[in-house]
Amino acid sequence: MEQLYGWIRNLAGYFVFLAVLEQLMSGSRSGRYVRFFAGIILILLVLKPLTGGLHLEDALVREYEALLFQYDTRDLRQEISGAENQRLERIMDQYELAVAQTVEELARAEGYKVYGCVAVIQRDKGSDRFGEVVEIQLSVGNQDNVGYDDSERLKKKVAVCYDLEEEHVEIQIVEREG
């Protein structure tokens, strides 16, 4: 009779523990997995008087730990992937700045006053041109008696330098104030 009371106490304690656990896990992504394993444990608790010698608890613990390890591994992979994507974005940003600075220096060498430059790098990993310069926008002012026709020469130099079609190099001549 004492074993029956112990078994009922175990079930009651388990239900109290489950209620507390569900309150703590509300809104969690892993709530359904916890409920699944809680159901399995409940089945084992109910069947314990009949299956005492089968060591099902040990097998359940091993399976649960293996599942937790799989979830931890998946979460770690997602974190690593996210960190890699952030690092790649920073590299692309730095590359765009370096290209813009190089184009600005090229324009200054041609005698232009540079007001700004924007370089666009292909960021789509599925593209054949991933990581390549796909567009350059340059805003310059006329300086040192450079003619407007010379802007086409600058456009060609920039296009050749970055293996671009000339229509992907935009040079805007800004009139000098004052």
mmCIF file with all atom_site columns, all heavy atoms in Angstrom, residues 40-62:
data_model
loop_
_atom_site.group_PDB
_atom_site.id
_atom_site.type_symbol
_atom_site.label_atom_id
_atom_site.label_alt_id
_atom_site.label_comp_id
_atom_site.label_asym_id
_atom_site.label_entity_id
_atom_site.label_seq_id
_atom_site.pdbx_PDB_ins_code
_atom_site.Cartn_x
_atom_site.Cartn_y
_atom_site.Cartn_z
_atom_site.occupancy
_atom_site.B_iso_or_equiv
_atom_site.pdbx_formal_charge
_atom_site.auth_seq_id
_atom_site.auth_comp_id
_atom_site.auth_asym_id
_atom_site.auth_atom_id
_atom_site.pdbx_PDB_model_num
ATOM 1   N N   . ILE A 1 40 ? 5.786  11.928 -22.371 1.00 0.00 ? 40 ILE A N   1
ATOM 2   C CA  . ILE A 1 40 ? 6.503  10.652 -22.314 1.00 0.00 ? 40 ILE A CA  1
ATOM 3   C C   . ILE A 1 40 ? 6.851  10.309 -20.867 1.00 0.00 ? 40 ILE A C   1
ATOM 4   O O   . ILE A 1 40 ? 6.688  9.163  -20.426 1.00 0.00 ? 40 ILE A O   1
ATOM 5   C CB  . ILE A 1 40 ? 7.769  10.693 -23.202 1.00 0.00 ? 40 ILE A CB  1
ATOM 6   C CG1 . ILE A 1 40 ? 7.367  10.772 -24.668 1.00 0.00 ? 40 ILE A CG1 1
ATOM 7   C CG2 . ILE A 1 40 ? 8.647  9.473  -22.947 1.00 0.00 ? 40 ILE A CG2 1
ATOM 8   C CD1 . ILE A 1 40 ? 8.525  10.956 -25.621 1.00 0.00 ? 40 ILE A CD1 1
ATOM 9   N N   . ILE A 1 41 ? 7.310  11.308 -20.133 1.00 0.00 ? 41 ILE A N   1
ATOM 10  C CA  . ILE A 1 41 ? 7.640  11.073 -18.723 1.00 0.00 ? 41 ILE A CA  1
ATOM 11  C C   . ILE A 1 41 ? 6.386  10.686 -17.940 1.00 0.00 ? 41 ILE A C   1
ATOM 12  O O   . ILE A 1 41 ? 6.427  9.800  -17.081 1.00 0.00 ? 41 ILE A O   1
ATOM 13  C CB  . ILE A 1 41 ? 8.332  12.309 -18.118 1.00 0.00 ? 41 ILE A CB  1
ATOM 14  C CG1 . ILE A 1 41 ? 9.715  12.481 -18.757 1.00 0.00 ? 41 ILE A CG1 1
ATOM 15  C CG2 . ILE A 1 41 ? 8.460  12.175 -16.607 1.00 0.00 ? 41 ILE A CG2 1
ATOM 16  C CD1 . ILE A 1 41 ? 10.399 13.775 -18.401 1.00 0.00 ? 41 ILE A CD1 1
ATOM 17  N N   . LEU A 1 42 ? 5.266  11.311 -18.242 1.00 0.00 ? 42 LEU A N   1
ATOM 18  C CA  . LEU A 1 42 ? 4.012  10.966 -17.576 1.00 0.00 ? 42 LEU A CA  1
ATOM 19  C C   . LEU A 1 42 ? 3.642  9.504  -17.849 1.00 0.00 ? 42 LEU A C   1
ATOM 20  O O   . LEU A 1 42 ? 3.238  8.769  -16.934 1.00 0.00 ? 42 LEU A O   1
ATOM 21  C CB  . LEU A 1 42 ? 2.884  11.892 -18.030 1.00 0.00 ? 42 LEU A CB  1
ATOM 22  C CG  . LEU A 1 42 ? 1.507  11.598 -17.446 1.00 0.00 ? 42 LEU A CG  1
ATOM 23  C CD1 . LEU A 1 42 ? 1.536  11.761 -15.935 1.00 0.00 ? 42 LEU A CD1 1
ATOM 24  C CD2 . LEU A 1 42 ? 0.459  12.492 -18.078 1.00 0.00 ? 42 LEU A CD2 1
ATOM 25  N N   . ILE A 1 43 ? 3.799  9.091  -19.078 1.00 0.00 ? 43 ILE A N   1
ATOM 26  C CA  . ILE A 1 43 ? 3.521  7.693  -19.418 1.00 0.00 ? 43 ILE A CA  1
ATOM 27  C C   . ILE A 1 43 ? 4.424  6.768  -18.604 1.00 0.00 ? 43 ILE A C   1
ATOM 28  O O   . ILE A 1 43 ? 3.972  5.746  -18.055 1.00 0.00 ? 43 ILE A O   1
ATOM 29  C CB  . ILE A 1 43 ? 3.678  7.454  -20.933 1.00 0.00 ? 43 ILE A CB  1
ATOM 30  C CG1 . ILE A 1 43 ? 2.566  8.168  -21.693 1.00 0.00 ? 43 ILE A CG1 1
ATOM 31  C CG2 . ILE A 1 43 ? 3.692  5.965  -21.256 1.00 0.00 ? 43 ILE A CG2 1
ATOM 32  C CD1 . ILE A 1 43 ? 2.766  8.191  -23.196 1.00 0.00 ? 43 ILE A CD1 1
ATOM 33  N N   . LEU A 1 44 ? 5.711  7.151  -18.497 1.00 0.00 ? 44 LEU A N   1
ATOM 34  C CA  . LEU A 1 44 ? 6.631  6.317  -17.717 1.00 0.00 ? 44 LEU A CA  1
ATOM 35  C C   . LEU A 1 44 ? 6.250  6.293  -16.248 1.00 0.00 ? 44 LEU A C   1
ATOM 36  O O   . LEU A 1 44 ? 6.341  5.246  -15.595 1.00 0.00 ? 44 LEU A O   1
ATOM 37  C CB  . LEU A 1 44 ? 8.063  6.823  -17.891 1.00 0.00 ? 44 LEU A CB  1
ATOM 38  C CG  . LEU A 1 44 ? 8.692  6.583  -19.258 1.00 0.00 ? 44 LEU A CG  1
ATOM 39  C CD1 . LEU A 1 44 ? 10.062 7.213  -19.330 1.00 0.00 ? 44 LEU A CD1 1
ATOM 40  C CD2 . LEU A 1 44 ? 8.772  5.098  -19.547 1.00 0.00 ? 44 LEU A CD2 1
ATOM 41  N N   . LEU A 1 45 ? 5.828  7.442  -15.727 1.00 0.00 ? 45 LEU A N   1
ATOM 42  C CA  . LEU A 1 45 ? 5.415  7.477  -14.323 1.00 0.00 ? 45 LEU A CA  1
ATOM 43  C C   . LEU A 1 45 ? 4.186  6.611  -14.075 1.00 0.00 ? 45 LEU A C   1
ATOM 44  O O   . LEU A 1 45 ? 4.093  5.925  -13.056 1.00 0.00 ? 45 LEU A O   1
ATOM 45  C CB  . LEU A 1 45 ? 5.127  8.918  -13.885 1.00 0.00 ? 45 LEU A CB  1
ATOM 46  C CG  . LEU A 1 45 ? 6.327  9.779  -13.535 1.00 0.00 ? 45 LEU A CG  1
ATOM 47  C CD1 . LEU A 1 45 ? 5.892  11.207 -13.244 1.00 0.00 ? 45 LEU A CD1 1
ATOM 48  C CD2 . LEU A 1 45 ? 7.085  9.209  -12.347 1.00 0.00 ? 45 LEU A CD2 1
ATOM 49  N N   . VAL A 1 46 ? 3.258  6.655  -15.015 1.00 0.00 ? 46 VAL A N   1
ATOM 50  C CA  . VAL A 1 46 ? 2.047  5.853  -14.865 1.00 0.00 ? 46 VAL A CA  1
ATOM 51  C C   . VAL A 1 46 ? 2.375  4.364  -14.972 1.00 0.00 ? 46 VAL A C   1
ATOM 52  O O   . VAL A 1 46 ? 1.838  3.532  -14.229 1.00 0.00 ? 46 VAL A O   1
ATOM 53  C CB  . VAL A 1 46 ? 0.991  6.269  -15.928 1.00 0.00 ? 46 VAL A CB  1
ATOM 54  C CG1 . VAL A 1 46 ? -0.156 5.282  -15.975 1.00 0.00 ? 46 VAL A CG1 1
ATOM 55  C CG2 . VAL A 1 46 ? 0.488  7.670  -15.629 1.00 0.00 ? 46 VAL A CG2 1
ATOM 56  N N   . LEU A 1 47 ? 3.280  4.026  -15.872 1.00 0.00 ? 47 LEU A N   1
ATOM 57  C CA  . LEU A 1 47 ? 3.620  2.620  -16.090 1.00 0.00 ? 47 LEU A CA  1
ATOM 58  C C   . LEU A 1 47 ? 4.749  2.108  -15.193 1.00 0.00 ? 47 LEU A C   1
ATOM 59  O O   . LEU A 1 47 ? 5.087  0.927  -15.255 1.00 0.00 ? 47 LEU A O   1
ATOM 60  C CB  . LEU A 1 47 ? 3.993  2.392  -17.552 1.00 0.00 ? 47 LEU A CB  1
ATOM 61  C CG  . LEU A 1 47 ? 2.898  2.643  -18.583 1.00 0.00 ? 47 LEU A CG  1
ATOM 62  C CD1 . LEU A 1 47 ? 3.449  2.435  -19.981 1.00 0.00 ? 47 LEU A CD1 1
ATOM 63  C CD2 . LEU A 1 47 ? 1.702  1.742  -18.329 1.00 0.00 ? 47 LEU A CD2 1
ATOM 64  N N   . LYS A 1 48 ? 5.336  2.973  -14.373 1.00 0.00 ? 48 LYS A N   1
ATOM 65  C CA  . LYS A 1 48 ? 6.497  2.603  -13.565 1.00 0.00 ? 48 LYS A CA  1
ATOM 66  C C   . LYS A 1 48 ? 6.249  1.361  -12.714 1.00 0.00 ? 48 LYS A C   1
ATOM 67  O O   . LYS A 1 48 ? 7.127  0.493  -12.653 1.00 0.00 ? 48 LYS A O   1
ATOM 68  C CB  . LYS A 1 48 ? 6.950  3.761  -12.701 1.00 0.00 ? 48 LYS A CB  1
ATOM 69  C CG  . LYS A 1 48 ? 8.192  3.423  -11.894 1.00 0.00 ? 48 LYS A CG  1
ATOM 70  C CD  . LYS A 1 48 ? 8.846  4.639  -11.364 1.00 0.00 ? 48 LYS A CD  1
ATOM 71  C CE  . LYS A 1 48 ? 9.985  4.265  -10.471 1.00 0.00 ? 48 LYS A CE  1
ATOM 72  N NZ  . LYS A 1 48 ? 11.253 4.308  -11.116 1.00 0.00 ? 48 LYS A NZ  1
ATOM 73  N N   . PRO A 1 49 ? 5.098  1.244  -12.052 1.00 0.00 ? 49 PRO A N   1
ATOM 74  C CA  . PRO A 1 49 ? 4.919  0.021  -11.256 1.00 0.00 ? 49 PRO A CA  1
ATOM 75  C C   . PRO A 1 49 ? 4.984  -1.252 -12.108 1.00 0.00 ? 49 PRO A C   1
ATOM 76  O O   . PRO A 1 49 ? 5.379  -2.303 -11.625 1.00 0.00 ? 49 PRO A O   1
ATOM 77  C CB  . PRO A 1 49 ? 3.524  0.188  -10.649 1.00 0.00 ? 49 PRO A CB  1
ATOM 78  C CG  . PRO A 1 49 ? 3.258  1.641  -10.674 1.00 0.00 ? 49 PRO A CG  1
ATOM 79  C CD  . PRO A 1 49 ? 3.993  2.166  -11.855 1.00 0.00 ? 49 PRO A CD  1
ATOM 80  N N   . LEU A 1 50 ? 4.621  -1.145 -13.370 1.00 0.00 ? 50 LEU A N   1
ATOM 81  C CA  . LEU A 1 50 ? 4.626  -2.323 -14.232 1.00 0.00 ? 50 LEU A CA  1
ATOM 82  C C   . LEU A 1 50 ? 5.964  -2.553 -14.931 1.00 0.00 ? 50 LEU A C   1
ATOM 83  O O   . LEU A 1 50 ? 6.270  -3.673 -15.336 1.00 0.00 ? 50 LEU A O   1
ATOM 84  C CB  . LEU A 1 50 ? 3.530  -2.190 -15.296 1.00 0.00 ? 50 LEU A CB  1
ATOM 85  C CG  . LEU A 1 50 ? 2.107  -1.946 -14.773 1.00 0.00 ? 50 LEU A CG  1
ATOM 86  C CD1 . LEU A 1 50 ? 1.176  -1.664 -15.939 1.00 0.00 ? 50 LEU A CD1 1
ATOM 87  C CD2 . LEU A 1 50 ? 1.630  -3.139 -13.965 1.00 0.00 ? 50 LEU A CD2 1
ATOM 88  N N   . THR A 1 51 ? 6.751  -1.477 -15.124 1.00 0.00 ? 51 THR A N   1
ATOM 89  C CA  . THR A 1 51 ? 7.996  -1.576 -15.914 1.00 0.00 ? 51 THR A CA  1
ATOM 90  C C   . THR A 1 51 ? 9.219  -1.213 -15.097 1.00 0.00 ? 51 THR A C   1
ATOM 91  O O   . THR A 1 51 ? 10.197 -0.711 -15.650 1.00 0.00 ? 51 THR A O   1
ATOM 92  C CB  . THR A 1 51 ? 7.917  -0.637 -17.126 1.00 0.00 ? 51 THR A CB  1
ATOM 93  O OG1 . THR A 1 51 ? 7.773  0.691  -16.655 1.00 0.00 ? 51 THR A OG1 1
ATOM 94  C CG2 . THR A 1 51 ? 6.786  -1.015 -18.052 1.00 0.00 ? 51 THR A CG2 1
ATOM 95  N N   . GLY A 1 52 ? 9.214  -1.426 -13.847 1.00 0.00 ? 52 GLY A N   1
ATOM 96  C CA  . GLY A 1 52 ? 10.317 -1.013 -12.967 1.00 0.00 ? 52 GLY A CA  1
ATOM 97  C C   . GLY A 1 52 ? 11.668 -1.533 -13.406 1.00 0.00 ? 52 GLY A C   1
ATOM 98  O O   . GLY A 1 52 ? 12.679 -0.850 -13.273 1.00 0.00 ? 52 GLY A O   1
ATOM 99  N N   . GLY A 1 53 ? 11.758 -2.727 -13.955 1.00 0.00 ? 53 GLY A N   1
ATOM 100 C CA  . GLY A 1 53 ? 13.053 -3.310 -14.280 1.00 0.00 ? 53 GLY A CA  1
ATOM 101 C C   . GLY A 1 53 ? 13.519 -3.058 -15.707 1.00 0.00 ? 53 GLY A C   1
ATOM 102 O O   . GLY A 1 53 ? 14.566 -3.560 -16.105 1.00 0.00 ? 53 GLY A O   1
ATOM 103 N N   . LEU A 1 54 ? 12.800 -2.279 -16.513 1.00 0.00 ? 54 LEU A N   1
ATOM 104 C CA  . LEU A 1 54 ? 13.192 -2.090 -17.918 1.00 0.00 ? 54 LEU A CA  1
ATOM 105 C C   . LEU A 1 54 ? 14.151 -0.923 -18.142 1.00 0.00 ? 54 LEU A C   1
ATOM 106 O O   . LEU A 1 54 ? 14.643 -0.747 -19.239 1.00 0.00 ? 54 LEU A O   1
ATOM 107 C CB  . LEU A 1 54 ? 11.941 -1.893 -18.786 1.00 0.00 ? 54 LEU A CB  1
ATOM 108 C CG  . LEU A 1 54 ? 10.978 -3.066 -18.850 1.00 0.00 ? 54 LEU A CG  1
ATOM 109 C CD1 . LEU A 1 54 ? 9.770  -2.700 -19.707 1.00 0.00 ? 54 LEU A CD1 1
ATOM 110 C CD2 . LEU A 1 54 ? 11.659 -4.292 -19.414 1.00 0.00 ? 54 LEU A CD2 1
ATOM 111 N N   . HIS A 1 55 ? 14.378 -0.088 -17.150 1.00 0.00 ? 55 HIS A N   1
ATOM 112 C CA  . HIS A 1 55 ? 15.289 1.073  -17.216 1.00 0.00 ? 55 HIS A CA  1
ATOM 113 C C   . HIS A 1 55 ? 14.913 2.019  -18.357 1.00 0.00 ? 55 HIS A C   1
ATOM 114 O O   . HIS A 1 55 ? 15.770 2.534  -19.070 1.00 0.00 ? 55 HIS A O   1
ATOM 115 C CB  . HIS A 1 55 ? 16.738 0.630  -17.368 1.00 0.00 ? 55 HIS A CB  1
ATOM 116 C CG  . HIS A 1 55 ? 17.193 -0.286 -16.294 1.00 0.00 ? 55 HIS A CG  1
ATOM 117 N ND1 . HIS A 1 55 ? 17.401 0.135  -15.003 1.00 0.00 ? 55 HIS A ND1 1
ATOM 118 C CD2 . HIS A 1 55 ? 17.447 -1.625 -16.295 1.00 0.00 ? 55 HIS A CD2 1
ATOM 119 C CE1 . HIS A 1 55 ? 17.782 -0.886 -14.263 1.00 0.00 ? 55 HIS A CE1 1
ATOM 120 N NE2 . HIS A 1 55 ? 17.809 -1.979 -15.023 1.00 0.00 ? 55 HIS A NE2 1
ATOM 121 N N   . LEU A 1 56 ? 13.628 2.231  -18.542 1.00 0.00 ? 56 LEU A N   1
ATOM 122 C CA  . LEU A 1 56 ? 13.169 3.137  -19.590 1.00 0.00 ? 56 LEU A CA  1
ATOM 123 C C   . LEU A 1 56 ? 13.554 4.583  -19.303 1.00 0.00 ? 56 LEU A C   1
ATOM 124 O O   . LEU A 1 56 ? 13.736 5.369  -20.232 1.00 0.00 ? 56 LEU A O   1
ATOM 125 C CB  . LEU A 1 56 ? 11.654 3.024  -19.763 1.00 0.00 ? 56 LEU A CB  1
ATOM 126 C CG  . LEU A 1 56 ? 11.136 1.699  -20.304 1.00 0.00 ? 56 LEU A CG  1
ATOM 127 C CD1 . LEU A 1 56 ? 9.611  1.709  -20.358 1.00 0.00 ? 56 LEU A CD1 1
ATOM 128 C CD2 . LEU A 1 56 ? 11.709 1.424  -21.669 1.00 0.00 ? 56 LEU A CD2 1
ATOM 129 N N   . GLU A 1 57 ? 13.695 4.929  -18.017 1.00 0.00 ? 57 GLU A N   1
ATOM 130 C CA  . GLU A 1 57 ? 14.075 6.305  -17.672 1.00 0.00 ? 57 GLU A CA  1
ATOM 131 C C   . GLU A 1 57 ? 15.441 6.654  -18.257 1.00 0.00 ? 57 GLU A C   1
ATOM 132 O O   . GLU A 1 57 ? 15.648 7.735  -18.775 1.00 0.00 ? 57 GLU A O   1
ATOM 133 C CB  . GLU A 1 57 ? 14.096 6.514  -16.150 1.00 0.00 ? 57 GLU A CB  1
ATOM 134 C CG  . GLU A 1 57 ? 12.766 6.397  -15.475 1.00 0.00 ? 57 GLU A CG  1
ATOM 135 C CD  . GLU A 1 57 ? 12.489 4.965  -15.004 1.00 0.00 ? 57 GLU A CD  1
ATOM 136 O OE1 . GLU A 1 57 ? 13.362 4.077  -15.172 1.00 0.00 ? 57 GLU A OE1 1
ATOM 137 O OE2 . GLU A 1 57 ? 11.391 4.738  -14.495 1.00 0.00 ? 57 GLU A OE2 1
ATOM 138 N N   . ASP A 1 58 ? 16.372 5.699  -18.174 1.00 0.00 ? 58 ASP A N   1
ATOM 139 C CA  . ASP A 1 58 ? 17.716 5.947  -18.705 1.00 0.00 ? 58 ASP A CA  1
ATOM 140 C C   . ASP A 1 58 ? 17.687 6.141  -20.217 1.00 0.00 ? 58 ASP A C   1
ATOM 141 O O   . ASP A 1 58 ? 18.352 7.026  -20.765 1.00 0.00 ? 58 ASP A O   1
ATOM 142 C CB  . ASP A 1 58 ? 18.647 4.779  -18.353 1.00 0.00 ? 58 ASP A CB  1
ATOM 143 C CG  . ASP A 1 58 ? 18.879 4.652  -16.854 1.00 0.00 ? 58 ASP A CG  1
ATOM 144 O OD1 . ASP A 1 58 ? 18.706 5.673  -16.147 1.00 0.00 ? 58 ASP A OD1 1
ATOM 145 O OD2 . ASP A 1 58 ? 19.221 3.548  -16.402 1.00 0.00 ? 58 ASP A OD2 1
ATOM 146 N N   . ALA A 1 59 ? 16.910 5.317  -20.898 1.00 0.00 ? 59 ALA A N   1
ATOM 147 C CA  . ALA A 1 59 ? 16.806 5.446  -22.354 1.00 0.00 ? 59 ALA A CA  1
ATOM 148 C C   . ALA A 1 59 ? 16.168 6.787  -22.723 1.00 0.00 ? 59 ALA A C   1
ATOM 149 O O   . ALA A 1 59 ? 16.602 7.453  -23.668 1.00 0.00 ? 59 ALA A O   1
ATOM 150 C CB  . ALA A 1 59 ? 15.991 4.296  -22.929 1.00 0.00 ? 59 ALA A CB  1
ATOM 151 N N   . LEU A 1 60 ? 15.139 7.184  -21.960 1.00 0.00 ? 60 LEU A N   1
ATOM 152 C CA  . LEU A 1 60 ? 14.479 8.460  -22.227 1.00 0.00 ? 60 LEU A CA  1
ATOM 153 C C   . LEU A 1 60 ? 15.438 9.625  -21.999 1.00 0.00 ? 60 LEU A C   1
ATOM 154 O O   . LEU A 1 60 ? 15.484 10.562 -22.807 1.00 0.00 ? 60 LEU A O   1
ATOM 155 C CB  . LEU A 1 60 ? 13.246 8.607  -21.338 1.00 0.00 ? 60 LEU A CB  1
ATOM 156 C CG  . LEU A 1 60 ? 12.478 9.908  -21.487 1.00 0.00 ? 60 LEU A CG  1
ATOM 157 C CD1 . LEU A 1 60 ? 11.896 10.004 -22.891 1.00 0.00 ? 60 LEU A CD1 1
ATOM 158 C CD2 . LEU A 1 60 ? 11.387 10.001 -20.451 1.00 0.00 ? 60 LEU A CD2 1
ATOM 159 N N   . VAL A 1 61 ? 16.217 9.542  -20.950 1.00 0.00 ? 61 VAL A N   1
ATOM 160 C CA  . VAL A 1 61 ? 17.183 10.610 -20.671 1.00 0.00 ? 61 VAL A CA  1
ATOM 161 C C   . VAL A 1 61 ? 18.197 10.710 -21.810 1.00 0.00 ? 61 VAL A C   1
ATOM 162 O O   . VAL A 1 61 ? 18.531 11.808 -22.258 1.00 0.00 ? 61 VAL A O   1
ATOM 163 C CB  . VAL A 1 61 ? 17.874 10.380 -19.304 1.00 0.00 ? 61 VAL A CB  1
ATOM 164 C CG1 . VAL A 1 61 ? 19.084 11.270 -19.138 1.00 0.00 ? 61 VAL A CG1 1
ATOM 165 C CG2 . VAL A 1 61 ? 16.886 10.606 -18.169 1.00 0.00 ? 61 VAL A CG2 1
ATOM 166 N N   . ARG A 1 62 ? 18.683 9.587  -22.287 1.00 0.00 ? 62 ARG A N   1
ATOM 167 C CA  . ARG A 1 62 ? 19.652 9.605  -23.392 1.00 0.00 ? 62 ARG A CA  1
ATOM 168 C C   . ARG A 1 62 ? 19.040 10.226 -24.644 1.00 0.00 ? 62 ARG A C   1
ATOM 169 O O   . ARG A 1 62 ? 19.669 11.036 -25.324 1.00 0.00 ? 62 ARG A O   1
ATOM 170 C CB  . ARG A 1 62 ? 20.150 8.194  -23.688 1.00 0.00 ? 62 ARG A CB  1
ATOM 171 C CG  . ARG A 1 62 ? 21.201 7.698  -22.733 1.00 0.00 ? 62 ARG A CG  1
ATOM 172 C CD  . ARG A 1 62 ? 21.883 6.429  -23.238 1.00 0.00 ? 62 ARG A CD  1
ATOM 173 N NE  . ARG A 1 62 ? 20.959 5.334  -23.515 1.00 0.00 ? 62 ARG A NE  1
ATOM 174 C CZ  . ARG A 1 62 ? 20.503 4.470  -22.612 1.00 0.00 ? 62 ARG A CZ  1
ATOM 175 N NH1 . ARG A 1 62 ? 20.889 4.566  -21.360 1.00 0.00 ? 62 ARG A NH1 1
ATOM 176 N NH2 . ARG A 1 62 ? 19.679 3.500  -22.961 1.00 0.00 ? 62 ARG A NH2 1
#
